[in-house]
């Protein structure tokens, strides 16, 4: 290699290895990742990327500002466009208008994945005491959880419970009477789902509580998808109005989520609201939304928010529901 070529090579290495060069390389890598969430149906790795779609959009927005500061206009423009495309799910909440008030009874619901081994008994008990929900839906409960929450549990005389020693125990407590109840396993290798008819002021609300396998591998994601689609079919054909509640292990950016919403005829609550961060609970910002309260027609979610921490890796969700349809 001649001296001029060697000099150019050394200069290029210095440009890449200096702080500005490393930052620019990181911004280009981030930009190259931008199409991933849009390809979620094509490969499992892209589905995983879709969970962080809005976080990636925020990173690209920041990257655009940094690229302008580095005088990399092409990189800045491309990062801006990519950020806007990925942030598209935020458009609907910006222009959403809440419907007019409607008659019908209201119901306050608490949904919480307690994390079996977390043992945050006192925190959850305090939350139930403070919020006094009409319905409590719990995931990852075992016998120890039910025993520790005995005083709170006794305030809910109508219960359907299926505790387990693994992370798929589940429970539903209600102040209002429960009619027909059952524990179902929807799909091959499915985890338990609770299906109950709740009676309130002459209305009947079907409550379905579920917690499918987390999609840590492609096979587990396939089991989750099969379970959720089987539940969607069950909701489509069964009693209405209804509400699907639980840790679904799927964000509103996952293709399976929208398949379930559309097939079951669920109300598009996520597209009407600013995203909730429910997991992992320790993140002050950037948590993803996998714990859901999704109604069919005839039920309105009038309020939806995360609650105070209970020591789990999930934040509980509080919802105020109103029944507005046929009795």
């Amino acid at each position: 290699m001649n001296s001029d070529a060697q000099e150019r090579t050394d200069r290029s290495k210095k440009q890449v290895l200096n702080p500005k060069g490393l930052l620019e390389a990181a911004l280009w890598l981030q930009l190259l990742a931008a199409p991933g969430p849009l390809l979620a149906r094509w490969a499992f790795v892209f589905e995983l990327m879709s969970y962080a779609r809005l976080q990636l959009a925020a990173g690209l927005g920041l990257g655009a500002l940094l690229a302008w500061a580095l005088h990399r206009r092409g990189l800045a423009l491309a990062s801006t466009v990519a950020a806007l495309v990925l942030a598209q799910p935020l458009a609907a909440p910006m222009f959403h208008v809440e419907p007019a008030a409607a008659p019908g009874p209201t119901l306050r619901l608490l949904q919480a994945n307690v994390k079996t081994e977390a043992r945050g008994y006192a925190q959850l008990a305090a939350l139930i005491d403070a919020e006094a929900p009409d319905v409590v839906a719990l995931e990852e409960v075992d016998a120890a959880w039910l025993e520790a929450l005995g005083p709170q549990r006794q305030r809910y005389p109508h219960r359907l419970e299926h505790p387990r020693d693994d992370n798929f125990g589940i429970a539903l407590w209600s102040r209002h009477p429960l009619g027909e109840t059952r524990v179902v396993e929807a799909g091959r290798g499915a985890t338990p789902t609770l299906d109950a008819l709740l009676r309130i002021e002459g209305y009947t609300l079907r409550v379905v509580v579920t917690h499918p396998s987390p999609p840590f591998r492609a096979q587990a994601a396939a089991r989750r998808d099969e379970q959720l689609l089987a539940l969607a079919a069950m909701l489509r054909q069964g009693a209405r109005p209804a509400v699907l509640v639980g840790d679904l292990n799927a964000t509103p950016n996952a293709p399976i989520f929208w398949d379930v919403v559309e097939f079951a005829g669920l109300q598009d609550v996520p597209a009407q609201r600013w995203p909730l961060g429910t997991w992992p609970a320790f993140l002050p910002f950037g948590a993803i939304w996998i714990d859901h309260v999704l109604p069919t027609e005839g039920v309105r979610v009038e309020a939806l928010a995360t609650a105070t921490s209970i020591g789990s890796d999930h934040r509980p969700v509080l919802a105020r529901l109103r029944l507005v349809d046929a009795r």
Side-chain angles (χ1 to χ4, degrees), residues 135-199:
V135 175
V136 177
L138 303 175
E139 298 91 51
E140 297 200 22
V141 292
D142 58 7
W145 269 100
L146 297 181
E147 181 180 358
L149 295 172
Q152 288 70 33
R153 182 171 175 264
Q154 291 305 314
R155 296 180 205 149
Y156 297 88
H158 311 284
R159 300 186 292 269
L160 177 60
E161 299 169 330
H162 191 75
R164 289 175 37 151
D165 293 333
D166 58 14
N167 294 126
F168 296 102
I170 199 162
L172 174 66
W173 303 343
S174 173
R175 296 186 190 277
H176 301 283
L178 297 178
E180 181 182 351
T181 63
R182 59 178 182 155
V183 179
V184 299
E185 293 188 359
R188 293 169 297 178
T191 58
T193 292
L194 305 183
D195 185 12
L197 296 180
L198 183 149
R199 317 289 189 186

Side-chain angles (χ1 to χ4, degrees), residues 4-290:
D4 290 340
Q6 182 66 49
E7 185 178 347
R8 286 195 298 270
T9 300
D10 293 343
R11 190 183 308 119
S12 297
K13 288 182 178 179
K14 289 179 180 178
Q15 288 174 347
V16 171
L17 294 177
N18 67 35
K20 287 185 178 180
L22 290 173
L23 177 58
E24 184 178 352
L27 296 178
W28 276 111
L29 286 174
Q30 179 178 250
L31 182 60
L32 290 173
L38 305 178
L39 303 173
R41 285 196 182 274
W42 297 99
F44 175 61
V45 65
F46 294 140
E47 181 186 326
L48 292 180
M49 293 176 68
S50 77
Y51 299 162
R53 174 173 177 162
L54 296 179
Q55 290 82 348
L56 181 55
L60 286 163
L62 176 60
L65 295 176
L66 293 173
W68 280 112
L70 294 172
H71 305 291
R72 298 294 187 265
R73 295 182 180 179
L75 175 58
L77 180 60
S79 296
T80 300
V81 171
L84 291 173
V85 170
L86 292 182
Q88 182 272 332
L90 297 178
M94 292 175 64
F95 299 101
H96 175 66
V97 177
E98 289 290 339
T106 60
L107 194 72
R108 298 188 73 246
L109 182 147
L110 169 65
Q111 181 274 327
N113 180 325
V114 300
K115 189 174 177 63
T116 308
E117 62 271 23
R119 304 309 191 195
Y121 306 136
Q123 294 99 312
L124 180 56
L127 178 62
I128 294 173
D129 292 344
E131 297 293 341
D134 301 293
V135 175
V136 177
L138 303 175
E139 298 91 51
E140 297 200 22
V141 292
D142 58 7
W145 269 100
L146 297 181
E147 181 180 358
L149 295 172
Q152 288 70 33
R153 182 171 175 264
Q154 291 305 314
R155 296 180 205 149
Y156 297 88
H158 311 284
R159 300 186 292 269
L160 177 60
E161 299 169 330
H162 191 75
R164 289 175 37 151
D165 293 333
D166 58 14
N167 294 126
F168 296 102
I170 199 162
L172 174 66
W173 303 343
S174 173
R175 296 186 190 277
H176 301 283
L178 297 178
E180 181 182 351
T181 63
R182 59 178 182 155
V183 179
V184 299
E185 293 188 359
R188 293 169 297 178
T191 58
T193 292
L194 305 183
D195 185 12
L197 296 180
L198 183 149
R199 317 289 189 186
I200 174 172
E201 298 180 22
Y203 287 73
T204 298
L205 174 66
R206 187 181 192 184
V207 182
V208 176
V209 186
T210 196
H211 178 211
S213 300
F216 292 136
R217 297 187 303 274
Q219 296 89 338
R223 289 196 301 271
R224 175 207 60 186
D225 294 356
E226 184 175 345
Q227 178 167 338
L228 290 177
L229 289 172
L231 291 176
M234 188 177 82
L235 286 166
R236 184 185 181 94
Q237 299 165 3
R240 287 174 178 247
V243 61
L244 177 63
V245 180
D247 170 10
L248 303 189
N249 277 311
T251 75
N253 298 315
I256 184 61
F257 184 91
W258 294 109
D259 291 343
V260 171
V261 165
E262 293 171 8
F263 187 61
L266 301 177
Q267 297 296 298
D268 189 1
V269 173
Q272 298 173 1
R273 300 180 183 276
W274 293 105
L276 295 182
T278 65
W279 182 88
F282 65 83
L283 287 181
F285 304 101
I288 61 176
W289 191 358
I290 60 176

